Amino acid sequence: MVAVAWLLLAACAGINSQTYAYATLDEARRAGAIEAGWVPEGLPPASHDLRVAQVPGTSQHWGIINFPRAEEPALRALLEPEELSLTGRHCDMPGRIEWWPTLLRGALDDGRLAATGIRGYRARAGGRLFAVNWSQGRAYYWEAVEK
């Protein structure tokens, strides 16, 4: 019984994540988050209230940015122009990342996302997926890990 509890604790310890918060994009840049690949290069310059989580030793990361609607073209320049269906895709992440919305955890559903104003996109470069609410000026992104 004690051995089982120990194994469960060890397994949970293996999915630890680190989280970071940045007031501005410049702060994230100075902290090395862009260079490390956790924050995409080319985000709208006035992006603010950024949050990032990453699993050390992997490419897995998740982030939220807020951006002024006037800088929407800068974000669109990072994304493929057509919307991407997220239905059937999974966004699996450590449960300890409290700020990530429930709607974007596990199996994703375009209908549920669209009801909240969120649209899916693939980044023009790399393997990131984005879920963007254009009217709120908020974007969520993560490194796509295909199952």
Side-chain angles (χ1 to χ4, degrees), residues 54-121:
Q54 58 95 15
V55 176
T58 74
S59 66
Q60 293 181 294
H61 62 275
W62 304 265
I64 295 177
I65 65 156
N66 292 281
F67 59 93
R69 291 186 64 200
E71 293 188 359
E72 181 180 310
L75 182 58
R76 286 194 182 273
L78 295 177
L79 307 176
E80 292 291 337
E82 65 279 346
E83 288 185 19
L84 172 71
S85 173
L86 295 175
T87 294
R89 296 178 187 272
H90 287 263
C91 185
D92 297 320
M93 59 191 310
R96 295 178 49 200
I97 303 171
E98 302 86 17
W99 45 262
W100 191 261
T102 304
L103 197 59
L104 289 173
R105 292 177 185 263
L108 303 179
D109 179 271
D110 286 335
R112 291 182 56 210
L113 294 171
T116 66
I118 293 176
R119 303 289 185 257
Y121 298 88

